[in-house]
Amino acid sequence: MAKLDNNGTGRWPPWSRIQSLNEMTEEAGVDFDEFIESIKNQASISEMAEQFQVSEGTIEKLQDHFFRYGIGSVQGGD
């Protein structure tokens, strides 16, 4: 049983709730390093979709994940 602090919340080690960006790009068939480089170079959604031969929707979802969660998303009780 988790020890509760004064405000009634437990403390536990972090864990990953969602896929990392690396896993997501791999699943989409997009080279992770090139994807990050394209973001760095401020490539447009359409440019990136053409470069990686995926839909603009796929690029939008990958970019959204990057800007919301970064490269990985680790969350926990602390």
Side-chain angles (χ1 to χ4, degrees):
M1 183 169 183
K3 182 178 178 181
L4 299 179
D5 61 19
N6 291 339
N7 68 2
T9 62
R11 294 177 58 94
W12 54 89
W15 83 106
S16 181
R17 267 180 8 135
I18 56 178
Q19 287 183 305
S20 70
L21 184 61
N22 191 16
E23 293 169 322
M24 293 173 71
T25 55
E26 182 179 341
E27 187 175 307
V30 171
D31 182 273
F32 174 77
D33 294 324
E34 288 182 26
F35 180 77
I36 296 298
E37 189 68 23
S38 293
I39 290 175
K40 177 184 165 190
N41 293 331
Q42 299 181 346
S44 71
I45 297 287
S46 61
E47 289 171 333
M48 292 175 75
E50 185 176 326
Q51 175 185 355
F52 298 113
Q53 297 297 294
V54 297
S55 72
E56 290 185 12
T58 297
I59 296 298
E60 288 172 347
K61 287 178 181 167
L62 292 171
Q63 276 194 358
D64 180 62
H65 180 90
F66 175 76
F67 289 118
R68 271 183 203 251
Y69 304 109
I71 293 173
S73 174
V74 176
Q75 299 186 7
D78 290 346

